Amino acid sequence: FNAFMGPSMVYTSGIFHGLDQTLEQAQHNKMSLICDKLMMKAGERHLDIGCGWGTLVRHSAKYYKA
């Protein structure tokens, strides 16, 4: 799976903020946008069901302490 999904193992699209961004950066942008829209805060919890390999959970824990 890593060959076509990249290191973050995201099945879906990414958000590119410029032509110079990599797929991995675009996927990071998407995870951050999701966390921002959910207004994730330190100590909060969420349940990530059927969203791949736990990428959103790891991202929210690392960058939002949630």
Side-chain angles (χ1 to χ4, degrees):
F1 292 105
N2 192 20
F4 66 91
M5 291 193 296
S8 65
M9 301 295 282
V10 175
Y11 288 102
T12 60
S13 62
I15 297 174
F16 289 86
H17 293 302
L19 296 175
D20 60 332
Q21 290 201 310
T22 65
L23 174 61
E24 193 62 25
Q25 289 169 321
Q27 291 172 339
H28 174 89
N29 295 341
K30 183 180 97 174
M31 294 295 138
S32 291
L33 179 64
I34 291 168
C35 289
D36 289 344
K37 285 187 174 215
L38 291 172
M39 295 184 272
M40 296 296 299
K41 294 179 182 62
E44 291 186 332
R45 298 178 184 192
H46 63 102
L47 182 60
D48 186 5
I49 299 175
C51 295
W53 301 88
T55 305
L56 180 59
V57 171
R58 287 193 313 274
H59 183 89
S60 63
K62 182 175 182 178
Y63 296 102
Y64 293 81
K65 308 296 184 229

